[in-house]
Amino acid sequence: SGPPRVTPIMTLSELADKVTIAYLVIHGAICWISDVQIILPDVIGDSLYHAIYGLAGLDAVVDSWASGQGDFLVELKPLWFKTFIYAEMLIQFPLICWLVPQWIRRNGSNNVRTLSVVYAVHVSTTMVPIMPELIAGMWREPRHVTLVAVVVYAVWVVCPLVMLTRCLASDPLWPVAAKVKSK
């Protein structure tokens, strides 16, 4: 009769869904804990910013990351990088807030697919100039960007591509059980 059939713990699609949900939740948290600190002093002023994030110790966490990992983009806050953070907060963060419950509930509407593609493409395109800057920074003096920093940023390349592939390769995104006809 042959060897017993091995049933996978989860399908590749299910794994991609779990990775996407975890990534979206983490990205949403990082938006408000870390990334917003790059633009917040410009929006609400230094004193209010330090009252909010300084008292919570969150500014020290970001400063420690920037200096410890050589993340000169976070440390120097170039204008082009700030514009990406504004876009992240105005486009990506609202999409994250809407997409997380949709992915958890496996809402298979076309809106979920379309907005997931918009989100994934937006994040991926913002990473196009960021990654070469960081990789080149690994050899810049006086401080080098660490491999840890590059790998952390690479998550924002890989996970949106997983999400994009999942959305474009599956039709429908989540199969809906056939409805039973009632009399």
Side-chain angles (χ1 to χ4, degrees):
S1 70
R5 184 172 177 189
V6 177
T7 306
I9 296 171
M10 71 176 73
T11 66
L12 201 52
S13 292
E14 291 169 332
L15 177 61
D17 290 352
K18 291 183 186 323
V19 166
T20 296
I21 292 166
Y23 161 78
L24 286 170
V25 169
I26 291 167
H27 187 191
I30 288 175
C31 282
W32 280 109
I33 293 169
S34 172
D35 295 354
V36 74
Q37 291 188 52
I38 293 169
I39 59 171
L40 208 52
D42 296 343
V43 176
I44 65 171
D46 281 335
S47 58
L48 186 55
Y49 160 73
H50 287 296
I52 296 168
Y53 280 83
L55 288 176
L58 296 173
D59 58 345
V61 172
V62 172
D63 291 343
S64 174
W65 161 264
S67 62
Q69 301 304 321
D71 189 342
F72 61 91
L73 295 175
V74 171
E75 188 173 32
L76 301 177
K77 301 168 186 66
L79 182 59
W80 68 268
F81 189 64
K82 281 185 176 184
T83 62
F84 284 16
I85 302 301
Y86 278 106
E88 178 182 34
M89 298 310 294
L90 295 172
I91 298 168
Q92 294 172 21
F93 185 73
L95 285 171
I96 291 167
C97 292
W98 189 81
L99 288 170
V100 167
Q102 306 307 317
W103 278 77
I104 290 171
R105 287 193 306 253
R106 297 174 65 113
N107 178 350
S109 78
N110 281 335
N111 290 339
V112 175
R113 179 193 305 272
T114 302
L115 293 175
S116 294
V117 168
V118 167
Y119 168 84
V121 168
H122 188 270
V123 173
S124 298
T125 56
T126 61
M127 296 309 292
V128 169
I130 292 172
M131 290 307 292
E133 278 287 322
L134 286 173
I135 291 167
M138 292 176 75
W139 294 277
R140 260 193 207 127
E141 296 294 335
R143 282 201 354 263
H144 306 287
V145 175
T146 66
L147 182 59
V148 170
V150 173
V151 169
V152 167
Y153 275 87
V155 169
W156 272 256
V157 175
V158 174
C159 288
L161 292 177
V162 167
M163 184 180 193
L164 183 62
T165 302
R166 174 75 174 94
C167 288
L168 297 178
S170 302
D171 191 27
L173 191 53
W174 296 289
V176 180
K179 293 183 180 179
V180 178
K181 290 184 182 181
S182 60
K183 292 184 178 184

